[in-house]
Amino acid sequence: MLNLIIFGPPGAGKGTQSAKLIERYHLVHISTGDIFREHIQNDTELGKKVKNIMASGQLVPDSITIEMLEHEVKKNPNAKGVIFDGFPRTVPQAEALDNFLQSMNQKVNIVVQLDVNEEELRTRIAERRKVSGRADDAEEKLMKRMDEYFNKTIHVLPYYEQQNIVTKVNGIGLIDDIFDQLCEAIDPLV
Ligand code: ADP
């Protein structure tokens, strides 16, 4: 069982690389952003709760996010492994994930960090804005998301660095080259 976290700021390419990783390693992809968007689309109770929070670029409260995440993991009891994309985004979320995995005799095996500078992120999201239709890709919402990242999510990194499981990869360059670097870090674990 391989539990992999793909980590990086909005626009770092987590979704793009996750799609390639799933194919190669046959992992279940759990993207908390995608799941929240699905709930909003289907107008579920959870979707109603998180719609405005998400549209404003803020983080959804930990309690809601953690509950949803655990539910998603439990839905896939036979998974070969999981890619966590967009989770954890706070230290309490990281602690909750550790406890949850421990209760199933598992752990986070590797955190791959996509390193991309802020200027490049802004350029990428400005491009994505034209096609994504995402309310939170608007300029002022993006600023809020970056704030959330640099105030809260960035602290998740030292949490895992202490465990010696972080591999940092340059997230600028050709998609396939970045993918190759990720595979180099992951292959020894599978
Ligand atoms: P991006 O990484 O491009 O910002 P995501 O699709 O991962 O986008 O997330 C979009 C939004 O979903 C976040 O801004 C936040 O409102 C909500 N969200 C996703 N994952 C989490 C999480 N782990 N904790 C809190 N909120 C989350």
Side-chain angles (χ1 to χ4, degrees), residues 12 16-17 29 36 57 62 80 83 100 126 139 157 170 184 189:
T16 306
Q17 294 297 335
H29 182 211
F36 283 138
D62 284 340
K80 273 182 126 181
I83 300 187
F100 176 61
E139 183 70 38
L157 216 46
N170 182 0
E184 237 173 79
L189 303 176

Side-chain angles (χ1 to χ4, degrees), residues 145-157:
R145 278 160 62 202
M146 289 293 180
D147 273 5
E148 294 281 63
Y149 179 79
F150 287 107
N151 288 325
K152 296 177 186 159
T153 306
I154 200 75
H155 303 298
V156 169
L157 216 46

Side-chain angles (χ1 to χ4, degrees), residues 8-15 31-37 40 50-62 64-66 68-69 85-90 93 125 128 134 136-137 141-142 144-146 148-149 153:
K14 300 188 294 289
S31 158
T32 43
D34 285 351
I35 298 165
F36 283 138
R37 277 186 288 276
I40 292 171
V50 303
K51 187 173 182 188
N52 292 335
I53 302 173
M54 258 180 95
S56 71
Q58 285 175 285
L59 291 185
V60 173
D62 284 340
I64 297 179
T65 309
I66 291 165
M68 188 214 51
L69 188 279
D85 169 359
F87 185 95
R89 263 179 157 95
T90 64
Q93 288 182 16
I125 295 184
R128 185 168 85 183
R134 274 176 54 171
D136 63 347
D137 275 348
K141 308 294 161 49
L142 175 61
K144 183 69 206 164
R145 278 160 62 202
M146 289 293 180
E148 294 281 63
Y149 179 79
T153 306

Side-chain angles (χ1 to χ4, degrees), residues 103-142:
S103 73
M104 300 183 299
N105 281 320
Q106 290 181 45
K107 59 178 180 171
V108 176
N109 302 98
I110 184 169
V111 178
V112 288
Q113 177 196 0
L114 292 174
D115 189 31
V116 178
N117 64 55
E118 218 176 319
E119 198 191 330
E120 170 75 13
L121 295 173
R122 289 185 188 286
T123 312
R124 289 184 185 181
I125 295 184
E127 274 308 305
R128 185 168 85 183
R129 189 175 297 145
K130 297 177 192 160
V131 291
S132 75
R134 274 176 54 171
D136 63 347
D137 275 348
E139 183 70 38
E140 71 282 8
K141 308 294 161 49
L142 175 61

